[in-house]
Amino acid sequence: MRILALAIPLAIALIATLTAAAPASAQTYAPGYPICMQVWGPINYYDCSFTSLPQCSLSASGRPAQCVINPYFASAEPPGPIYRRHRHYY
């Protein structure tokens, strides 16, 4: 009787954990490179490992693929300083 009393809450907790766990979606674009190649086929995927459009175009030629600009590219250069004129009150 005690085993049954312990098994039911454990089973309920296990079922709740398994149903609450949802599959995670992967990030489509890698933020490390500015150019991605979208490849179509049995498995559609993005290959974000190119530094220029000509480099990507050479790799995509003859394949069902297209080069696109990575919208999530994290630029290595920090944005420049913003110069603002402050009014001096005398």
Side-chain angles (χ1 to χ4, degrees):
M1 188 69 167
R2 289 182 185 171
I3 294 174
L4 185 62
L6 291 175
I8 292 175
L10 288 176
I12 292 172
L14 179 66
I15 292 170
T17 303
L18 291 176
T19 56
S25 61
Q27 183 175 352
T28 304
Y29 297 96
Y33 291 93
I35 307 296
C36 295
M37 178 173 59
Q38 182 179 6
V39 182
W40 294 282
I43 299 174
N44 299 331
Y45 64 94
Y46 285 87
D47 178 13
C48 295
S49 60
F50 301 99
T51 56
S52 67
L53 279 172
Q55 179 189 20
C56 179
S57 296
L58 285 173
S59 184
S61 67
R63 299 170 62 181
Q66 175 184 1
C67 296
V68 295
I69 295 174
N70 187 352
Y72 298 103
F73 174 61
S75 178
E77 298 177 17
I82 298 173
Y83 294 104
R84 295 185 181 165
R85 291 188 113 172
H86 297 285
R87 230 179 220 180
H88 295 287
Y89 297 101
Y90 296 104

